[in-house]
Structure formats: C-alpha cells, structure tokens
C-alpha cells in the first residue's frame, strides 16, 4: 500500500488525501515493528514490498536498533503530521494524537532499554530518546484536548474506562469497540469468569501491597501489613484496588460476591477490571464493553518517566501527571510535590537497584494505573528487571484452618477443612487443604497455588523471545537465533 501510494502511476489522488492514508499505513507499520523490536530485539527492516525473486532481501540479516528506531520515529512523525483526524467518535479511528502517543511509548521503551541494558556501540543515546518521548507526550498534553475521566459514573472513574460500551473519548485515544448493534463482541467475561477458556489470572499479594493508602502513605508501613486480612487490605486504599478486583462490596448479578477461589482465582484477588458484572456475559464471546488500547493516562506516565530519567521533572509536572492520577484514585497526600523518601518495601520487593524515590513512585504508579493493559511485561524487560518474575506467587493470608470471612461482613464465606473433616458451617464454600487449596505453611498462611515455587527466569536468555525456526525465517538466511535459545528448542 505504501509503495503504491508513493508511485504516481498507481496513485493519482491529491497529495493531502494520499498523505492522510499514508500516515495511517505508516502508523500501523510502526505498531508492527515496535512489536517485533520488543519481542525479538533487532530484526530486519523492510522499507518496501518484497518481491518473490528478491531472495537476498528476503533472507537478509538483522538491522541495528538504530536503524529500526529511526524508521519507527520517521513513520510516527509522518503519521502525526499527515493524519487529518484530530478526534474520533468512539475512539475507533486513528488520530494524529494516536501517532504522538505511540511515539512516546516507542521512544520511552527504547530509551530505557538502552540505558538499563547498558547497550554500547549505538549512535542514538538514551537521553535523545527520552527527550523524543517527552516531546511526543507533551504534544498530546498541550494540544489534544484530552483529559482524565474523573466522573464517578456507574462503576467509578477508573473502572468505567473499561466497563463502558462507548469509550470515554476524553481519555481513551484509541480503542477496540464492541457493541451488540454491530455484532462485535469481546471475550473478557469468558476469559476471567469461566474455566472453559480462561487461565485463572489473578493478582498476587506482593503487588496488591503496592497500592497506597488514601492518605498517600504506603500500606506496608504498618508493622502487621503481611498478615492483614483481605477486608483489612481493602480498607482506606487507593480506589483503583476495589475497581480492579472483587472487593468488599462487589455485586455479581446484583448480589454480594467474593472471589471464587475454588474455580477462578488462584490467589483470592479476582480481576474485574475488564469484565461485566452479570453472568449472562460468561461462557462465550458476549462482552459489549470496549477495550482501550491507548489512554491519556499512559501519555501522562510516559511524560513523567521521561522527564524523571532526564532529571528535569518538576513539582508542577508531577502534579499534572502522577499527582492527577492519584487524585482520581482518591489519594490526598503527595500529589503536588515530588517524593523525597524511598519506599523500602517497593524497592526491596521489585526494584532493589533503584535509589531515586521519584523513579520508584513513577514505576509504582505505572504498574497500578496500566495494570493488564499490555505494559507490565515490557516495562520489566526495558528496565532489566526480569528477576521480578521469580517471586513466589502468593495470595490471601489465612491465619488458621476453619471458617474465614473474606469480605469482612460478619458472615463466613469459606471453610478450610482438613482431609476427612466434615465441618459444621454456614459458609457457602468448603475447600480441603492440600487437595482443593494449598497454603505456604501447611494448614494456614498465604494461599500458594504453586506451593511456594518461584517463577523461572534466565537472565542471559529471557529478555528476548526465540526466533521461530521453521523454513520461513532461519533456513537459508542470515537471521541468527537469539542468545541461549538453541534454535528455540529449550523452552
């Protein structure tokens, strides 16, 4: 398409119209190559359509990261300058702001990757890329008219962004739209609420503990934070927590419901961010809520991180970005000025080599705000924090076997029984220890679905995926396998 548009023999429309569609095409090319860069590292860059006889081109070696990032920036700059749309009904159409926002994402990834992986021999410095990221984000902040959704709405200012059928366009820059009228449906409920499809994705306790209290102080500052009950964990916290998991007052089909720790939630922190709260949407592709792909919130976080990495983030910029996101989440403290104290729990648990309180708090905010939006894995990759994948995957703290009231409403929700026990209980659910559920300490402790086994991470290998090894990629060409993968056979 790009080649054809640039050839006057085939494309005779006026330049402004042609360049609009060229901008859209080049946006998608940038999206495609950004995915390849983050997944495989250096890849071949193909600026033109490949003909069947061009074997020397088809099987060429990887291009350098400099070549790839220069072309990504060029594509997104062209898209920003020539895409005509500046707004979109339903956020389903590419706008110039989607181009600037994606550029901020792309440049931020590459800047951090070069800095934290200590890449040498490249022409473009991390500082240059951080500046490009900040510049692109600032275009959106200053000119797009976008703003954070702060209306309480049906499910809350945060969850409404993922619950609504029609995207909240003041914040959602680009979305995949679903609605019954058009016959386009999502699969979120099927994935999160049915064992026939989903994988029981749920949050882990170490991450849940990073949500701040509403006064802006760390939850983990309390001496007994590690043994607090679920209801205590939810009390007085960042409002996004109970708009992300089934909390104390969650309603399922209009009735109070806790996490389904027998069938759907391996840890007890059952995700609701993308689901609808009625069972009629389960068991198939039936969801009518749209899915944001690019949000203004991400742009704010991209800007804050780039400026912080450059050492120039100001108090006013903190208030505009991280502070604004925390205010929306009901947090009252620390929203106007840069943080000056390191949260030892956050540092010790996730980022032991980071000493800047500003960078630590930006990382906290990014992880919470953009949860399950496709960023966390690649953030850890670019920050060279793969060791975070090796943490034990633990859930709710259960102090003893017997009855347990998950939501703190005074009624037992589950009875944890030993094998052979016939309990007398009013709890709706009985789970047999070491059969239906595992704990970190025998008959009590943290729910431990993998019995304390840490994740697996190879620091020398796993920052890249393996290159597929069939005839379409490696055979007959110069493209080599990524380090440590032995032609992709040792997963």
């Amino acid at each position: 398409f790009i080649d054809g548009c640039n050839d006057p023999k085939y494309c005779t429309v006026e330049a402004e119209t042609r360049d609009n569609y060229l901008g859209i095409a080049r946006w998608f090319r940038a999206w495609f190559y950004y995915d390849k860069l983050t997944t495989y590292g250096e890849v071949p860059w193909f600026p033109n359509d490949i003909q069947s006889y061009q074997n020397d081109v088809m099987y060429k070696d990887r291009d350098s990261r400099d070549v790839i990032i220069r072309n990504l920036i060029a594509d997104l700059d062209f898209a920003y300058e020539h895409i005509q749309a500046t707004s979109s009904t339903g956020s389903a159409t590419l706008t110039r702001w989607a181009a600037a926002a994606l550029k901020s994402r792309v440049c931020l990834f590459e800047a951090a990757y070069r800095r934290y992986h200590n890449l040498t021999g490249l022409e473009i410095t991390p500082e240059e890329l951080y500046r490009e990221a900040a510049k692109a984000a600032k275009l959106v902040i200053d000119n797009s008219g976008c703003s954070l959704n702060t209306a309480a709405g049906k499910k809350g200012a945060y969850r409404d962004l993922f619950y609504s059928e029609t995207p909240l366009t003041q914040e959602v820059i680009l979305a995949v739209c679903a609605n019954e009228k058009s016959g386009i449906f999502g699969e979120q409920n099927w994935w999160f609420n049915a064992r026939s499809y989903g994988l029981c994705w749920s949050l882990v306790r170490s991450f849940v503990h990073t949500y701040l209290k509403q006064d802006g102080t760390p939850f983990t500052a309390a001496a007994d934070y590690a043994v607090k009950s679920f209801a205590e964990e939810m009390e007085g916290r960042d409002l996004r927590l109970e708009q992300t998991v089934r909390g104390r007052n969650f309603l399922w089909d209009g009735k109070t419901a806790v996490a389904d720790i027998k069938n759907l939630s391996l840890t007890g922190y059952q995700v609701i961010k993308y689901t609808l709260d009625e069972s009629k949407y389960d068991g198939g592709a039936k969801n009518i809520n749209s899915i944001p792909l690019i949000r203004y919130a991400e742009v704010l976080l991209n800007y804050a991180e780039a400026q912080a990495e450059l050492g120039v983030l100001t108090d006013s910029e903190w208030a505009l970005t991280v502070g604004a996101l925390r205010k929306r989440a009901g947090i009252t403290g620390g929203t106007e000025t840069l943080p000056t104290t390191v949260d030892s729990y956050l540092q010790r648990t996730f980022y032991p080599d980071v000493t800047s309180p500003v960078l630590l708090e930006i990382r906290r905010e990014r992880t919470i705000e953009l949860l399950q939006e496709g960023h966390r894995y690649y953030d850890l990759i670019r920050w060279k924090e793969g060791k975070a994948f090796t943490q034990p995957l633990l859930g709710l703290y259960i102090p003893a076997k017997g009855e347990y009231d998950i939501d703190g409403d005074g009624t037992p929700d589950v009875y944890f029984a030993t094998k052979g026990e016939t309990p007398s209980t009013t709890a709706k659910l009985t789970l047999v220890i070491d059969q239906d559920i595992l704990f970190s300490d025998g008959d009590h402790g943290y729910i431990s679905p993998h019995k304390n086994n840490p994740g697996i991470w190879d620091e020398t290998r796993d920052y890249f995926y393996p290159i597929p090894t069939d005839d379409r990629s490696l055979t007959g060409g110069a493209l080599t396998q990524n380090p440590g993968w032995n032609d992709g056979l040792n997963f």
Side-chain angles (χ1 to χ4, degrees):
F1 179 85
I2 294 172
D3 286 352
C5 277
N6 283 320
D7 191 332
K9 290 188 300 182
Y10 302 108
C11 184
T12 58
V13 299
E14 60 185 10
E16 186 177 0
T17 300
R18 176 200 66 207
D19 288 347
N20 172 63
Y21 290 102
L22 270 173
I24 293 171
R26 291 180 69 169
W27 187 96
F28 277 105
R29 182 167 68 179
W31 180 281
F32 172 88
Y33 268 99
Y34 174 63
D35 173 67
K36 298 299 171 286
L37 179 66
T38 56
T39 304
Y40 302 111
E42 295 174 337
V43 293
W45 175 269
F46 297 105
N48 301 103
D49 189 23
I50 304 170
Q51 304 303 314
S52 60
Y53 55 83
Q54 293 179 301
N55 287 347
D56 57 332
V57 176
M58 195 180 304
Y59 293 112
K60 74 172 189 173
D61 199 354
R62 304 173 190 240
D63 285 299
S64 73
R65 297 185 80 100
D66 279 335
V67 169
I68 297 166
I69 197 64
R70 280 199 183 98
N71 280 288
L72 287 174
I73 291 172
D75 274 353
L76 292 171
D77 282 346
F78 185 93
Y80 174 78
E81 292 163 4
H82 293 94
I83 292 177
Q84 295 174 11
T86 57
S87 63
S88 168
T89 302
S91 301
T93 301
L94 279 177
T95 67
R96 65 186 319 201
W97 311 121
L102 182 57
K103 180 183 174 182
S104 74
R105 180 189 297 184
V106 166
C107 291
L108 186 68
F109 175 90
E110 187 62 9
Y113 195 92
R114 292 179 183 218
R115 170 166 288 179
Y116 288 100
H117 289 259
N118 296 313
L119 298 190
T120 59
L122 295 170
E123 296 176 6
I124 305 174
T125 66
E127 291 75 19
E128 290 176 87
L129 289 167
Y130 280 125
R131 284 193 288 270
E132 287 288 335
K135 179 182 175 183
K138 200 68 161 60
L139 285 173
V140 180
I141 293 169
D142 289 346
N143 303 296
S144 69
C146 290
S147 61
L148 295 177
N149 173 55
T150 56
K154 185 177 181 180
K155 296 294 177 181
Y158 180 69
R159 193 178 175 211
D160 276 349
L161 291 161
F162 311 93
Y163 200 90
S164 302
E165 179 175 342
T166 302
L168 304 182
T169 55
Q170 75 267 37
E171 179 170 344
V172 178
I173 296 172
L174 185 65
V176 174
C177 297
N179 60 76
E180 197 163 8
K181 184 177 180 181
S182 65
I184 299 173
F185 301 96
E187 300 179 339
Q188 302 93 286
N189 274 54
W190 193 15
W191 179 264
F192 285 105
N193 295 335
R195 286 292 293 270
S196 62
Y197 185 42
L199 298 175
C200 302
W201 281 1
S202 40
L203 304 188
V204 294
R205 190 177 185 86
S206 59
F207 167 67
V208 170
H209 284 168
T210 66
Y211 283 78
L212 295 172
K213 295 167 64 176
Q214 286 183 16
D215 64 4
T217 60
F219 170 78
T220 51
D224 61 345
Y225 80 87
V227 294
K228 284 185 179 292
S229 69
F230 177 80
E232 291 172 329
E233 287 181 316
M234 298 293 117
E235 182 66 33
R237 301 289 291 281
D238 180 326
L239 297 177
R240 288 170 294 190
L241 181 52
E242 288 193 277
Q243 293 178 49
T244 299
V245 300
R246 290 191 179 190
R248 297 161 298 175
N249 302 303
F250 174 74
L251 299 179
W252 179 245
D253 284 336
K255 300 177 182 178
T256 302
V258 297
D260 183 350
I261 57 178
K262 180 176 183 179
N263 299 302
L264 299 174
S265 179
L266 295 179
T267 65
Y269 303 106
Q270 185 170 341
V271 175
I272 62 170
K273 176 173 174 176
Y274 284 103
T275 61
L276 299 174
D277 298 343
E278 297 174 75
S279 58
K280 68 180 183 180
Y281 296 106
D282 298 347
K286 302 177 182 179
N287 278 69
I288 57 172
N289 50 320
S290 296
I291 300 175
L293 297 178
I294 300 177
R295 290 196 291 127
Y296 183 64
E298 181 205 342
V299 175
L300 294 179
L301 289 165
N302 292 349
Y303 182 74
E305 184 178 342
Q307 291 289 87
E309 289 283 4
L310 291 168
V312 296
L313 186 69
T314 64
D315 284 341
S316 62
E317 289 173 332
W318 173 267
L320 173 71
T321 56
V322 176
L325 289 166
R326 290 185 175 178
K327 281 184 178 179
R328 174 168 72 178
I331 295 172
T332 58
T335 61
E336 301 298 323
T337 57
L338 294 168
T340 58
T341 304
V342 165
D343 177 355
S344 59
Y345 172 85
L346 185 65
Q347 183 186 54
R348 178 178 68 253
T349 307
F350 293 101
Y351 314 111
D353 299 322
V354 179
T355 58
S356 164
V358 176
L359 287 176
L360 282 169
E361 292 302 321
I362 289 172
R363 291 188 181 189
R364 182 206 304 271
E365 189 63 25
R366 185 175 180 88
T367 307
I368 290 170
E369 176 67 28
L370 301 179
L371 175 70
Q372 292 190 316
E373 295 180 49
H375 298 279
R376 177 61 172 168
Y377 174 82
Y378 292 106
D379 282 346
L380 292 174
I381 293 296
R382 66 188 177 89
W383 293 329
K384 208 174 188 294
E385 295 288 357
K387 54 186 175 291
F389 294 114
T390 65
Q391 293 185 14
L393 305 178
L394 303 177
L396 304 185
Y397 178 74
I398 309 298
K401 73 180 190 70
E403 290 183 335
Y404 188 72
D405 176 11
I406 293 179
D407 57 7
D409 65 354
T411 302
D413 298 298
V414 61
Y415 188 98
F416 298 104
T418 55
K419 290 181 180 180
E421 181 181 359
T422 303
S424 175
T425 179
T426 59
K428 296 179 181 179
L429 179 65
T430 297
L431 296 178
V432 178
I433 300 168
D434 289 334
Q435 175 179 303
D436 301 319
I437 196 163
L438 301 173
F439 290 118
S440 60
D441 299 303
D443 62 356
H444 71 288
Y446 305 112
I447 294 177
S448 181
H450 304 291
K451 201 57 179 176
N452 299 327
N453 287 337
I456 298 172
W457 181 261
D458 185 335
E459 187 72 10
T460 65
R461 182 194 70 183
D462 292 343
Y463 285 103
F464 298 123
Y465 274 57
I467 302 291
T469 57
D470 60 25
D471 286 345
R472 290 170 295 176
S473 55
L474 291 180
T475 303
L479 193 61
T480 55
Q481 184 54 270
N482 277 325
W485 282 106
N486 296 334
D487 293 335
L489 298 178
N490 61 338
F491 285 90

